[in-house]
Amino acid sequence: MKTSYKKILPLFLLAGTLVSCSDLLDIDPLDSFTDSAVWNDLALAEANLNQQYLQIEADNGRSTYIMYCNFTDEAYHMHGYGTETTVRGELSPDKPSLGWTIDTWYKNYQAINGVNRFMENIGKVSTNSEADATWKNELKGQGFFLRAWFYSELYKHYGSVPLIKKTYELEEDFLNVKRAPIDDVATYIVEQCDSAAALLPVVYKDNSDLGRATKGAALALKARTLLFKASPLFGTPSNEKWLAAAEANKAVIDLKKESGEPAYLLTPVNNADDYAQMFTDYNNPEAIFMKLYSKKDGPRNWSFTYMAPAGPGSGYQGWGTIQPSQKIADAFEMEDGTPYVRKDKSVNPYSNREWRFYSSLIYDGCTWGYGEYEREVEIYTAGEEGVVGGLDGREGPNYRNATQTGYYMRKFLNRNYDTYGTEGDTTPWFFMRLAEFYLNYAECQIELGNIPEAITYINLIRNRVNLPGISADNIREKYEHERMVELVFEGQRWFDLRRWLQSEKVMNENLYGMDILKYKDGKKEYIYREKAVQERKFIAPQNYWCPIPRSELQKAPLLDPAPYK
C-alpha cells in the first residue's frame, strides 16, 4: 500500500552515503536498491521521485540565505556571499553564479535528468489494484509537474535553453545539444503542466502528501509561464499571448474542489499580525505550492539565523544578513491608502502605516521576541554623549551583525518560534499563492484594455489589508506598485523587473538606509542616509539573461552564449 514508502524513504535517502561499506559485509546492502527493484515497487518509485522534490530550492532553505530580493531594490545582503557579481553587473560565462549557492544551470539540468529517468521507468511498475493505479498516475503527474518546474526555472533565467527529453549517462557527450527557440521552451513547459493537471488531484486525501504537486500547482505554473511568455523580455507581446495568459491565470482563481468549494481562498486578516502569520502557516488556504520543513530531520529553514535582529534574546541573535532598503520601507502606504511622504527628521516615519509595513519589516521601536524575551527593538545610535546605543543597532553588543539599512526583515519569521529550543523552524516557503494570480490576471487585463476587471482584482488584494481601492488613472503604475508591496521579498520582483525590461533603470539605483539618533530626553531623529549602503550596476542588454557557464559552453559547442561572449 502507499503508506509503505515512509519506511523505505529513510533508506533511500541514505543511498550513496554508505555504499563504500557494502563490500565489508557478506549481506545484501540495505542502503541502496537496484534499478530492477526500484521499478518494480511503487513505494521505491515514489522514493525516487522524492529525490527530485529535494532539488527544488527555496529562498529560506539556502545555507547562505541568498534571496532573489537581494538582487533588486528590495534588500541588501550584508555578507555578500557572491551576490556582488550580480548587483555590480559583473556576470559572465566565467562568473555565472548569482551567488555562492545558486547554480541554476547545473542544478536544474541535474534535476531534469533525474525526472527524465523516473518518467522513462515509471511505466514499468506494475499495479495490483485500482488504488495502486491511481497512485501510479499521481506519481506520473508529479513527474510531469517537476519537469515543468525545473524547466521553468531555466526559462526564467536563460530564456532559450536546450530541451533535454531523455536521460543522459555519464559517458555521453553533448556535442549536438543546442538551445531551443524561446517560445518552444514555454510551449514545452505548458504541455508538461497540462499533462500534470490531467493526472493530479486538486486535494490529496490526507496530509501525508502535503507539499506534493497538485492540479492547482500545475495550472499555476502554466499560468505563470504564459505571463512570462507575454512579457516584453520573452518576445513580442501580443493580444493573443496576453489572452492566453489571462485565461490560464483565471483558471487558477476559479479552480474548484470536488465539493464545489474554491480550491484556494485569500486568507482573511484583521490586522498586521494576522497578515504576517499567514506566511508561517502551511494550512494557509491561499497556498498553492510550497516547500516544507520538519522539526528534526531534512532540509533546514535558515530564516532566523539570517533575518532575526542582532540583539540578545530568543527570537533575536540573528546575523542581520537580509536588510530591507529604505526605498522599500518608503513604498508602503499610509493606513488611509495615501502614499508615504518624507517628513521632518523629528517625525516618526513608522507611525500610521499600512498593515503590510508592520508585517514585513522590523524597525526601531517595534516589539519583537519570543515569550519573556519580547521587547522593543532598538536600532538607534547615540545622538549625544551620555546615551547608550540600542541593543540591535550598530552600537549594540552584536554590532557586527547589526543592520546597516536601519531595518530587519519581518516577513517569513514565526513570532511563536523559540530560537532557544531544540526543534527546527517549520515555517514553509510559499512558491505560489493565490494573491500572485490575482495580480497576474490583473496585469493581463490591463494589457488587454479591460481596466475595470483589472481594478477588481487589484482591489481584492488591497481591501484584504484594509486599504481603499484604486482608480483607473495611471493604472499600470499603480499595479506595479501594488505588486511590489504585496509580493515583497517573495522572489518575484527580480523576475518582474527583467520581464518588463525595467532593470536597467531600477537596478542602476544604489541602496540607501536610515539613521536613527536618540537623545537624552528620549526624543529621536530619523535621518535619511546620503551615503549609499550599496552601489549597484546593471548592464543592458546582457544582464537581462543569466550567462551559461563556460564549462557548459565547452561541453556543448553548439550552445549559443549570447548575449554574453
Side-chain angles (χ1 to χ4, degrees), residues 420-454:
Y420 287 176
T422 59
E423 295 183 339
D425 180 11
T426 59
T427 300
W429 179 265
F430 297 118
F431 291 111
M432 296 186 287
R433 62 185 181 96
L434 185 59
E436 175 197 339
F437 296 89
Y438 277 27
L439 293 168
N440 291 354
Y441 180 65
E443 181 175 342
C444 296
Q445 294 304 322
I446 291 171
E447 295 299 328
L448 291 168
N450 300 326
I451 307 304
E453 181 78 347

Side-chain angles (χ1 to χ4, degrees), residues 152-167:
S152 74
E153 290 299 297
L154 292 166
Y155 177 65
K156 291 191 299 182
H157 288 82
Y158 303 95
S160 174
V161 297
L163 291 175
I164 307 297
K165 302 179 182 180
K166 75 176 190 70
T167 301

